[in-house]
Short mmCIF file of all heavy atoms in Angstrom, two decimals:
data_model
loop_
_atom_site.label_atom_id
_atom_site.label_comp_id
_atom_site.label_asym_id
_atom_site.label_seq_id
_atom_site.Cartn_x
_atom_site.Cartn_y
_atom_site.Cartn_z
N ARG G 128 6.85 -7.90 -23.33
CA ARG G 128 6.16 -9.13 -22.96
C ARG G 128 5.60 -8.89 -21.55
O ARG G 128 6.33 -8.80 -20.59
CB ARG G 128 7.08 -10.33 -22.98
CG ARG G 128 7.65 -10.66 -24.35
CD ARG G 128 8.23 -12.07 -24.33
NE ARG G 128 7.16 -13.08 -24.25
CZ ARG G 128 7.33 -14.36 -23.90
NH1 ARG G 128 8.57 -14.75 -23.56
NH2 ARG G 128 6.35 -15.21 -23.85
N VAL G 129 4.31 -8.79 -21.46
CA VAL G 129 3.67 -8.46 -20.20
C VAL G 129 2.89 -9.67 -19.70
O VAL G 129 2.11 -10.27 -20.46
CB VAL G 129 2.71 -7.28 -20.32
CG1 VAL G 129 2.09 -6.91 -19.01
CG2 VAL G 129 3.47 -6.05 -20.90
N ALA G 130 3.12 -10.05 -18.42
CA ALA G 130 2.38 -11.15 -17.82
C ALA G 130 1.43 -10.63 -16.78
O ALA G 130 1.71 -9.63 -16.09
CB ALA G 130 3.35 -12.13 -17.17
N VAL G 131 0.28 -11.25 -16.66
CA VAL G 131 -0.77 -10.86 -15.70
C VAL G 131 -0.91 -12.01 -14.69
O VAL G 131 -1.25 -13.11 -15.08
CB VAL G 131 -2.08 -10.59 -16.42
CG1 VAL G 131 -3.17 -10.24 -15.39
CG2 VAL G 131 -1.97 -9.48 -17.45
N VAL G 132 -0.67 -11.68 -13.42
CA VAL G 132 -0.85 -12.68 -12.37
C VAL G 132 -2.31 -12.71 -11.98
O VAL G 132 -2.96 -11.72 -11.81
CB VAL G 132 0.01 -12.28 -11.13
CG1 VAL G 132 -0.33 -13.19 -9.93
CG2 VAL G 132 1.49 -12.44 -11.46
N GLN G 133 -2.84 -13.95 -11.82
CA GLN G 133 -4.26 -14.13 -11.59
C GLN G 133 -4.48 -15.00 -10.37
O GLN G 133 -3.64 -15.76 -9.96
CB GLN G 133 -4.88 -14.82 -12.81
CG GLN G 133 -4.74 -14.00 -14.10
CD GLN G 133 -5.21 -14.74 -15.32
OE1 GLN G 133 -4.96 -15.92 -15.47
NE2 GLN G 133 -5.84 -14.05 -16.24
N GLY G 134 -5.69 -14.87 -9.78
CA GLY G 134 -6.11 -15.75 -8.70
C GLY G 134 -6.48 -15.08 -7.42
O GLY G 134 -7.12 -15.68 -6.57
N ILE G 166 -1.87 -13.48 -2.22
CA ILE G 166 -1.22 -14.64 -2.80
C ILE G 166 0.32 -14.38 -2.86
O ILE G 166 0.79 -13.24 -2.58
CB ILE G 166 -1.74 -14.93 -4.21
CG1 ILE G 166 -1.50 -13.77 -5.19
CG2 ILE G 166 -3.23 -15.24 -4.14
CD1 ILE G 166 -1.92 -14.07 -6.62
N ALA G 168 4.53 -15.58 -4.29
CA ALA G 168 5.54 -15.25 -5.29
C ALA G 168 5.61 -16.21 -6.44
O ALA G 168 6.28 -15.91 -7.43
CB ALA G 168 6.91 -15.15 -4.62
N GLN G 169 4.98 -17.36 -6.35
CA GLN G 169 5.21 -18.39 -7.35
C GLN G 169 4.84 -17.98 -8.77
O GLN G 169 5.54 -18.26 -9.72
CB GLN G 169 4.50 -19.70 -6.95
CG GLN G 169 4.88 -20.25 -5.61
CD GLN G 169 6.34 -20.65 -5.52
OE1 GLN G 169 7.01 -20.91 -6.53
NE2 GLN G 169 6.91 -20.61 -4.31
N ALA G 170 3.70 -17.36 -8.90
CA ALA G 170 3.24 -16.94 -10.25
C ALA G 170 4.17 -15.87 -10.80
O ALA G 170 4.45 -15.88 -12.02
CB ALA G 170 1.80 -16.42 -10.17
N ILE G 171 4.65 -14.96 -9.97
CA ILE G 171 5.59 -13.97 -10.46
C ILE G 171 6.85 -14.62 -10.95
O ILE G 171 7.34 -14.32 -12.05
CB ILE G 171 5.97 -12.99 -9.30
CG1 ILE G 171 4.75 -12.21 -8.86
CG2 ILE G 171 7.07 -12.06 -9.74
CD1 ILE G 171 4.99 -11.35 -7.59
N ALA G 172 7.37 -15.60 -10.19
CA ALA G 172 8.58 -16.31 -10.60
C ALA G 172 8.35 -17.04 -11.91
O ALA G 172 9.21 -17.02 -12.83
CB ALA G 172 9.00 -17.28 -9.52
N GLY G 173 7.21 -17.68 -12.07
CA GLY G 173 6.91 -18.42 -13.30
C GLY G 173 6.88 -17.47 -14.49
O GLY G 173 7.39 -17.80 -15.59
N ALA G 174 6.25 -16.30 -14.35
CA ALA G 174 6.18 -15.33 -15.44
C ALA G 174 7.57 -14.85 -15.85
O ALA G 174 7.89 -14.69 -17.05
CB ALA G 174 5.30 -14.15 -15.05
N LEU G 175 8.44 -14.58 -14.88
CA LEU G 175 9.78 -14.13 -15.18
C LEU G 175 10.57 -15.24 -15.90
O LEU G 175 11.35 -14.98 -16.78
CB LEU G 175 10.49 -13.70 -13.91
CG LEU G 175 9.90 -12.39 -13.28
CD1 LEU G 175 10.54 -12.13 -11.92
CD2 LEU G 175 10.12 -11.19 -14.20
N ARG G 176 10.39 -16.47 -15.45
CA ARG G 176 11.10 -17.60 -16.07
C ARG G 176 10.65 -17.73 -17.55
O ARG G 176 11.48 -18.13 -18.39
CB ARG G 176 10.81 -18.89 -15.33
CG ARG G 176 11.43 -18.97 -13.97
CD ARG G 176 11.29 -20.39 -13.40
NE ARG G 176 11.71 -20.44 -12.01
CZ ARG G 176 10.87 -20.59 -11.01
NH1 ARG G 176 9.56 -20.69 -11.25
NH2 ARG G 176 11.29 -20.65 -9.74
N GLU G 177 9.44 -17.34 -17.83
CA GLU G 177 8.96 -17.46 -19.24
C GLU G 177 9.40 -16.26 -20.05
O GLU G 177 9.09 -16.19 -21.27
CB GLU G 177 7.41 -17.59 -19.23
CG GLU G 177 6.88 -18.00 -20.61
CD GLU G 177 5.43 -18.34 -20.61
OE1 GLU G 177 4.95 -18.90 -19.61
OE2 GLU G 177 4.75 -18.11 -21.61
N GLY G 178 10.05 -15.30 -19.43
CA GLY G 178 10.62 -14.21 -20.21
C GLY G 178 9.82 -12.91 -20.16
O GLY G 178 10.04 -12.02 -20.99
N ALA G 179 8.94 -12.75 -19.20
CA ALA G 179 8.20 -11.51 -19.11
C ALA G 179 9.08 -10.34 -18.83
O ALA G 179 9.98 -10.39 -18.00
CB ALA G 179 7.14 -11.62 -17.99
N VAL G 181 7.56 -7.38 -18.03
CA VAL G 181 6.76 -6.73 -17.01
C VAL G 181 5.79 -7.73 -16.46
O VAL G 181 5.13 -8.43 -17.20
CB VAL G 181 6.01 -5.50 -17.58
CG1 VAL G 181 5.24 -4.79 -16.45
CG2 VAL G 181 6.93 -4.54 -18.29
N VAL G 182 5.71 -7.80 -15.14
CA VAL G 182 4.73 -8.63 -14.44
C VAL G 182 3.75 -7.72 -13.70
O VAL G 182 4.21 -6.97 -12.83
CB VAL G 182 5.40 -9.66 -13.48
CG1 VAL G 182 4.35 -10.53 -12.88
CG2 VAL G 182 6.43 -10.47 -14.24
N VAL G 183 2.47 -7.86 -14.05
CA VAL G 183 1.43 -7.05 -13.38
C VAL G 183 0.64 -7.91 -12.45
O VAL G 183 0.07 -8.97 -12.87
CB VAL G 183 0.51 -6.44 -14.44
CG1 VAL G 183 -0.59 -5.63 -13.77
CG2 VAL G 183 1.30 -5.57 -15.40
N CYS G 184 0.56 -7.52 -11.20
CA CYS G 184 -0.15 -8.27 -10.16
C CYS G 184 -1.31 -7.45 -9.63
O CYS G 184 -1.33 -6.24 -9.74
CB CYS G 184 0.73 -8.64 -9.02
SG CYS G 184 2.34 -9.42 -9.46
N PRO G 457 -6.65 -21.10 -6.35
CA PRO G 457 -5.64 -21.43 -7.39
C PRO G 457 -5.10 -20.11 -8.03
O PRO G 457 -5.86 -19.19 -8.26
CB PRO G 457 -6.46 -22.22 -8.40
CG PRO G 457 -7.86 -21.81 -8.17
CD PRO G 457 -7.98 -21.54 -6.72
N THR G 458 -3.83 -20.07 -8.23
CA THR G 458 -3.16 -18.89 -8.77
C THR G 458 -2.32 -19.27 -9.98
O THR G 458 -2.00 -20.44 -10.24
CB THR G 458 -2.27 -18.19 -7.74
OG1 THR G 458 -1.19 -19.08 -7.38
CG2 THR G 458 -3.05 -17.83 -6.50
N GLY G 459 -1.98 -18.28 -10.75
CA GLY G 459 -1.12 -18.51 -11.94
C GLY G 459 -0.88 -17.17 -12.66
O GLY G 459 -1.10 -16.10 -12.12
N TYR G 460 -0.47 -17.27 -13.92
CA TYR G 460 -0.22 -16.08 -14.69
C TYR G 460 -0.54 -16.39 -16.15
O TYR G 460 -0.59 -17.57 -16.55
CB TYR G 460 1.20 -15.62 -14.60
CG TYR G 460 2.19 -16.53 -15.25
CD1 TYR G 460 2.59 -16.36 -16.60
CD2 TYR G 460 2.72 -17.66 -14.59
CE1 TYR G 460 3.45 -17.22 -17.23
CE2 TYR G 460 3.61 -18.51 -15.19
CZ TYR G 460 3.94 -18.32 -16.53
OH TYR G 460 4.81 -19.19 -17.16
N ARG G 461 -0.79 -15.35 -16.90
CA ARG G 461 -0.97 -15.51 -18.33
C ARG G 461 -0.27 -14.36 -19.05
O ARG G 461 -0.28 -13.22 -18.57
CB ARG G 461 -2.47 -15.52 -18.71
CG ARG G 461 -3.26 -16.66 -18.10
CD ARG G 461 -4.69 -16.69 -18.63
NE ARG G 461 -4.70 -17.00 -20.02
CZ ARG G 461 -5.72 -16.68 -20.83
NH1 ARG G 461 -6.81 -16.09 -20.33
NH2 ARG G 461 -5.70 -16.99 -22.10
N MET G 462 0.27 -14.67 -20.21
CA MET G 462 0.86 -13.62 -21.00
C MET G 462 -0.26 -12.80 -21.65
O MET G 462 -1.27 -13.33 -22.12
CB MET G 462 1.78 -14.19 -22.08
CG MET G 462 3.05 -14.80 -21.52
SD MET G 462 4.05 -13.50 -20.71
CE MET G 462 5.42 -14.50 -20.09
N PHE G 463 -0.09 -11.50 -21.60
CA PHE G 463 -1.13 -10.59 -22.08
C PHE G 463 -1.47 -10.83 -23.56
O PHE G 463 -2.67 -10.77 -23.95
CB PHE G 463 -0.74 -9.14 -21.83
CG PHE G 463 -1.78 -8.17 -22.34
CD1 PHE G 463 -2.99 -8.05 -21.68
CD2 PHE G 463 -1.52 -7.36 -23.43
CE1 PHE G 463 -3.96 -7.17 -22.14
CE2 PHE G 463 -2.49 -6.47 -23.89
CZ PHE G 463 -3.69 -6.38 -23.22
N ALA G 465 -1.56 -13.52 -25.15
CA ALA G 465 -2.46 -14.68 -25.26
C ALA G 465 -3.88 -14.29 -24.86
O ALA G 465 -4.84 -14.76 -25.46
CB ALA G 465 -1.96 -15.83 -24.35
N ILE G 466 -3.99 -13.45 -23.86
CA ILE G 466 -5.29 -12.95 -23.46
C ILE G 466 -5.95 -12.17 -24.59
O ILE G 466 -7.15 -12.32 -24.92
CB ILE G 466 -5.19 -12.05 -22.23
CG1 ILE G 466 -4.68 -12.86 -21.00
CG2 ILE G 466 -6.52 -11.38 -21.88
CD1 ILE G 466 -4.35 -12.04 -19.78
#
Side-chain angles (χ1 to χ4, degrees):
R128 297 196 70 197
V129 182
V131 178
V132 170
Q133 300 172 321
I166 64 176
Q169 301 299 335
I171 296 172
L175 292 172
R176 291 190 189 106
E177 193 172 325
V181 183
V182 181
V183 178
C184 308
T458 63
Y460 69 92
R461 297 186 66 200
M462 289 298 178
F463 179 69
I466 296 173

